[in-house]
Amino acid sequence: MGGAVTAAPPMALLAELTYRCPLRCGYCANPTDWRGYGRELDGDAWRRVVREAGALGVLHLHLSGGEPLLRDDLEDIAREGRDAGLYVNVITSGFGATRARVEALAAAGVDHVQVSLQDADGERGDRVAGVRAHDHKLVVARMVRDAGMELSINVVLHRGNLARTGEIIALAASLGAQRLELANTQYHGSALANRADLLPARAQLDAAFAVARAAQRDLAGRMDVIYVVPDWFADAPRPCMDGWGRRFMTVIPDGTALPCPGAHGLPGFAFDNVRDRSLDDIWYRGADFERYRGTAWMAEPCASCERREVDYGGCRCQAFALTGDAAATDPACAKSPHHKLIRDEREGPRGEPAVLYRIDTTRARR
Amino acid sequence: MVPSLARRARVRWDAARDCHVLLYPEGVLVLTPEAAEVIERIDGARSVEAIVDALAGEHPEAPRDVIDGDVRELLERLAARGFVRWEAP
């Protein structure tokens, strides 16, 4: 391994500080056996990782989870990132945030806060979160603006809330958000297990997309509306992480370094841990980062596809989850011999979705 | 008019890539050396004219009206993306 591909430095580090979360959203992409992971890195280790990221050429630091506010050293880690020249982004549910905490984040140098919403109103949003959170999230979003930080609202779209895309956009705009991320569910972790109740009907998606496009036009210059098209309905894979080991690095709570936040589930991998090796060493010389880097690893139909450097074969984790082979073409692609798996599911019957929560399969893992 | 850099935008030298970059939420603009020269002079106090004067002083080989046009075009493009704000002096 190694030597075949000369990697550029990573652009962004996703630091998943904890898998703990007070919310129980059924589309959670964290691993379903999240309780079974080793102890979380302590603050000293995270600060070292952040410094190494800066030296490695990382420009964006995303502090996420789980719920990163559960770490009382979040501010210290953020400050270390800012001192290393990184653009610091906190991705949070807002649950439990006080004005003092939000102001402390701003004082620590956090540039940007992304607050999740589950729906356009409290009754529906709280049902998805499994906890009373919605009304407080609105308060926290305004605190973020008051503290002078950039505000994004993040909403995961699924069958149960797509019909209110317009209301969600209006709510985000009323909060003073500069960005709104409307991300259709990606089927990893709990979302994969719960997909029968999350998958939308195509007509629902088409209607939501039209609403989002109109809002992009109407709100231009006021709020950026980002609409992430669902790969299951696009017949083309998403360029997962912009290519394996190409731009993004993830470190999960126990210190394992991954090319994407879902890769912990892949079999036959022995991902390196930041406790043992430097970030630089893992990025450039880690065998598992090399494994799917570039295009040399591809089999057909990817190997000769004219889009192989556009979508990089799609998502390795989705390929494994659905076909059992992490090196297979992502079944989201119409050229995949396994595409029927996705086609059958997405055209399946659509009843009223049940409300399902984050799954815990930790005992099964042990 | 006085340009200032919006808080959402941060400009820094990127040693790993040997260029100036402008960082913003979820994105990076790679700056040409010329663009970086302009942006480094944005301090929320200097007017466009003062920035053009400073650059013209350092680049006697370039006609002032060309510098003026380039600076205004760059600042307008950055303002359209919310990276630069205009304030009356």
Side-chain angles (χ1 to χ4, degrees):
Chain A
M1 290 263 177
V5 182
T6 308
M11 304 293 282
L13 173 68
L14 172 64
E16 294 188 321
L17 302 181
T18 179
Y19 281 145
R20 292 172 289 136
C21 185
L23 275 65
R24 298 193 288 139
C25 311
Y27 48 71
C28 185
N30 282 171
T32 57
D33 56 350
W34 55 279
R35 277 184 214 276
Y37 282 72
R39 68 191 159 82
E40 294 175 5
L41 289 182
D42 64 20
D44 286 345
W46 276 119
R47 288 202 303 280
R48 173 178 59 79
V49 166
V50 165
R51 282 195 302 276
E52 289 178 356
L56 179 54
V58 166
L59 298 172
H60 284 272
L61 174 64
H62 304 291
L63 300 172
S64 180
E67 174 49 67
L69 291 172
L70 294 179
R71 295 278 307 222
D72 57 13
D73 48 11
L74 174 61
E75 289 85 339
D76 298 333
I77 299 165
R79 185 176 295 107
E80 195 77 39
R82 184 63 188 256
D83 289 348
L86 305 181
Y87 198 90
V88 181
N89 176 26
V90 171
I91 303 170
T92 177
S93 69
F95 193 89
T98 58
R99 184 171 292 276
R101 192 85 201 269
V102 171
E103 287 173 353
L105 290 173
V110 171
D111 294 285
H112 175 208
V113 179
Q114 298 183 273
V115 178
S116 67
L117 291 179
Q118 281 63 38
D119 209 316
D121 63 81
E123 195 191 323
R124 290 190 177 95
D126 291 348
R127 208 181 301 143
V128 171
V131 61
R132 272 187 69 172
H134 179 89
D135 289 351
H136 185 62
K137 285 163 176 277
L138 307 186
V139 173
V140 172
R142 293 193 178 96
M143 288 175 184
V144 169
R145 294 296 297 129
D146 291 346
M149 293 180 283
E150 183 90 355
L151 171 68
S152 289
I153 296 294
N154 290 5
V155 183
V156 174
L157 297 177
H158 50 86
R159 180 151 107 240
N161 65 4
L162 271 160
R164 283 175 301 286
T165 301
E167 287 93 324
I168 290 168
I169 293 169
L171 177 57
S174 77
L175 294 169
Q178 288 101 338
R179 293 175 75 255
L180 168 62
E181 280 191 25
L182 298 169
N184 276 284
T185 304
Q186 293 179 357
Y187 298 99
H188 300 290
S190 293
L192 182 67
N194 289 334
R195 64 189 182 278
D197 286 275
L198 294 167
L199 276 164
R202 188 179 290 275
Q204 237 187 335
L205 278 173
D206 291 345
F209 189 35
V211 168
R213 275 230 292 246
Q216 283 168 341
R217 210 173 42 236
D218 298 344
L219 297 169
R222 251 185 78 202
M223 181 173 82
D224 292 333
V225 179
I226 294 103
Y227 183 89
V228 182
V229 175
D231 57 344
W232 279 40
F233 289 81
D235 285 336
R238 66 201 143 81
C240 190
M241 308 311 287
D242 274 344
W244 182 274
R246 188 165 162 268
R247 295 164 65 87
F248 294 97
M249 195 166 192
T250 297
V251 176
I252 63 173
D254 71 0
T256 305
L258 301 173
C260 95
H264 43 68
L266 298 177
F269 284 68
F271 287 110
D272 290 298
N273 194 295
V274 297
R275 297 181 210 261
D276 312 318
R277 293 178 78 174
S278 74
L279 226 48
D280 183 284
D281 196 29
I282 295 171
W283 177 258
Y284 287 112
R285 284 168 292 280
D288 293 325
F289 272 81
E290 293 274 327
R291 190 180 300 214
Y292 300 130
R293 195 172 255 156
T295 56
W297 58 274
M298 290 177 177
E300 295 298 346
C302 291
S304 62
C305 180
E306 72 280 4
R307 289 179 56 85
R308 64 186 178 279
E309 291 189 11
V310 176
D311 54 40
Y312 295 94
C315 173
R316 298 302 88 229
C317 306
Q318 184 154 281
F320 171 70
L322 298 180
T323 76
D325 177 8
T329 297
D330 185 338
C333 182
K335 294 180 180 176
S336 160
H338 298 98
H339 186 55
K340 188 176 183 307
L341 293 171
I342 280 179
R343 216 170 43 225
D344 288 351
E345 291 214 37
R346 78 180 179 206
E347 309 303 347
R350 295 284 182 271
E352 189 63 26
V355 175
L356 299 170
Y357 293 114
R358 183 182 190 181
I359 288 173
D360 187 347
T361 59
T362 303
R363 267 197 303 174
R365 181 183 200 241
R366 283 297 154 109
Chain B
M1 293 294 278
V2 176
S4 63
L5 208 56
R7 178 164 170 170
R8 71 190 307 236
R10 197 130 59 73
V11 175
R12 54 164 279 202
W13 174 251
D14 179 356
R17 297 172 189 80
D18 207 25
C19 60
H20 278 91
V21 289
L22 184 153
L23 304 177
Y24 62 97
E26 307 274 339
V28 179
L29 275 187
V30 174
L31 300 176
T32 62
E34 295 77 17
E37 261 194 286
V38 176
I39 293 174
E40 280 177 336
R41 284 168 177 75
I42 297 175
D43 59 6
R46 270 193 255 204
S47 65
V48 182
E49 291 71 23
I51 291 171
V52 172
D53 285 344
L55 290 168
E58 285 172 38
H59 298 279
E61 75 286 0
R64 191 183 186 286
D65 60 329
V66 172
I67 295 177
D68 186 87
D70 288 351
V71 167
R72 287 176 196 276
E73 191 201 332
L74 174 69
L75 293 177
E76 283 306 333
R77 273 172 32 212
L78 294 172
R81 299 188 62 178
F83 302 144
V84 159
R85 300 186 195 292
W86 292 109
E87 283 155 46

